[in-house]
Amino acid sequence: MAPLLSMEDVSLAFKGKPVLRHLTFAVERGECFGFLGPSGAGKTTTIKLLTRQLVKDSGRITLFGRPIEHATNADYERIGILSDTSALYERMTIEENLRFYAQIRGVGAGSITTLLERMNLADKKKTLVKNCSKGMRQRAALLAALIHAPELLFLDEPTSGLDPAARAEVHKMLREMNDAGTTVFLTTHDMAEADALCGRVGILDAGHLVACDAPEALKLRFARNELVMRTADGRVVHTTKDAAGASVVAEALAADACLSLHSVEPNLEEVFLELTGREF
């Protein structure tokens, strides 16, 4: 089966300056795919290419299994987008915005109450958007992107500005949608978020895809040759993953002195820094 979307050898430059360089990846149906990279790496530009807000210089892009140039209006009705340019009307309330987007999408307004409750906005639904905090705006914009239960969801920093409780609720909702079959394309600066939500992540640096794999596989790829053992006499013993280390561990086990033993793997943030050499 063809992937839901793909890029093959895609390049794009702005005023002669390369932004994306021979970018190649694919996202399968029902996948939650994380797209990570430092600021300015080309993440948002990639989303704009995949949603035809921009046109590539070269390469091939497919959407729903066919060239993006052949995408129809019906195809775009199957997509939801949350980006830094997602529009909410300032002089309308949160609820009015959601009803407006439901009307545009040609769906009923029956799910609005449930969505508002999920994002803890039910008691704020009459608030004008211009009077909303950043977190309230972000949650309302996410609901606007979800109003028509899209088959493919593009999320550009969906939890930016949210407090921990709201972030956890967004994560729960996204897991439920993904489990139900929604394909999610997620860009985020939050490595823990990507690790928790994504089956695979692609790491972009200066327009190049420098890695693409499951978070766990990436962490194991950069794992250190180190074991850490805590012993009954309160020591923390650092040893190696080889015959010499096995001997140290075996001796502690034989003496019933090993309280805990674990290998040392980096987290996804450390992998990111190793691959890009840069902060987010």
Side-chain angles (χ1 to χ4, degrees):
M1 182 181 294
L4 191 72
L5 62 87
S6 69
M7 283 187 159
E8 183 179 342
D9 201 28
V10 172
S11 295
L12 178 68
F14 293 146
K15 296 182 179 180
K17 181 180 179 181
V19 178
L20 297 178
R21 308 164 190 255
H22 308 289
L23 191 57
T24 297
F25 67 89
V27 177
E28 303 298 329
R29 296 174 186 273
E31 185 173 18
C32 184
F33 183 80
F35 203 57
L36 316 177
S39 297
K43 303 185 300 297
T44 300
T45 297
T46 301
I47 288 182
K48 289 182 177 180
L49 284 172
L50 290 167
T51 54
R52 291 197 74 184
Q53 297 174 69
L54 291 173
V55 178
K56 60 184 169 47
D57 292 335
S58 61
R60 172 181 168 85
I61 301 175
T62 66
L63 181 66
F64 298 118
R66 55 182 175 272
I68 198 168
E69 292 81 5
H70 299 160
T72 65
N73 288 338
D75 289 327
Y76 287 104
E77 289 301 318
R78 300 160 69 183
I79 294 174
I81 305 174
L82 173 68
S83 71
D84 56 1
T85 59
S86 295
L88 293 174
Y89 292 91
E90 297 276 316
R91 297 182 181 276
M92 294 168 61
T93 67
I94 293 173
E95 183 181 33
E96 288 169 342
N97 268 279
L98 296 183
R99 290 186 178 279
F100 177 70
Y101 276 104
Q103 184 178 4
I104 288 177
R105 292 293 194 172
V107 298
S111 65
I112 289 177
T113 298
T114 300
L115 289 172
L116 287 167
E117 289 172 350
R118 284 297 304 271
M119 283 293 97
N120 295 317
L121 289 173
D123 60 344
K124 304 290 186 181
K125 64 183 181 180
K126 300 299 184 184
T127 305
L128 293 176
V129 169
K130 68 177 183 179
N131 295 329
C132 290
S133 66
K134 181 181 178 181
M136 289 170 62
R137 285 173 182 256
Q138 187 75 352
R139 283 179 282 162
L142 176 59
L143 296 186
L146 299 176
I147 198 71
H148 59 303
E151 182 179 337
L152 170 61
L153 184 60
F154 288 102
L155 299 175
D156 195 359
E157 304 290 345
T159 57
S160 175
L162 300 187
D163 61 46
R167 185 180 299 112
E169 192 58 48
V170 169
H171 288 179
K172 182 180 178 182
M173 180 182 286
L174 292 178
R175 286 192 192 95
E176 290 173 356
M177 292 180 63
N178 189 226
D179 289 344
T182 302
T183 304
V184 179
F185 187 97
L186 170 72
T187 73
T188 180
H189 283 120
D190 186 337
M191 297 297 110
E193 178 170 82
D195 201 355
L197 295 176
C198 300
R200 285 191 307 140
V201 296
I203 297 180
L204 192 68
D205 186 32
H208 293 282
L209 195 67
V210 295
C212 187
D213 211 333
E216 192 63 27
L218 287 174
K219 287 184 284 186
L220 288 173
R221 187 187 306 175
F222 289 90
R224 296 190 288 274
N225 181 31
E226 184 179 358
L227 293 172
V228 178
M229 178 173 59
R230 294 183 181 275
T231 62
D233 59 2
R235 291 182 300 136
V236 177
V237 179
H238 295 262
T239 188
T240 50
K241 300 178 186 176
D242 53 22
S247 177
V248 172
V249 172
E251 183 179 341
L253 289 171
D256 198 23
C258 178
L259 296 181
S260 67
L261 177 69
H262 63 88
S263 58
V264 179
E265 286 88 30
N267 58 34
L268 194 56
E269 180 175 331
E270 290 169 324
V271 171
F272 178 95
L273 292 172
E274 180 76 21
L275 285 167
T276 67
R278 293 195 280 168
E279 299 287 345
F280 314 125

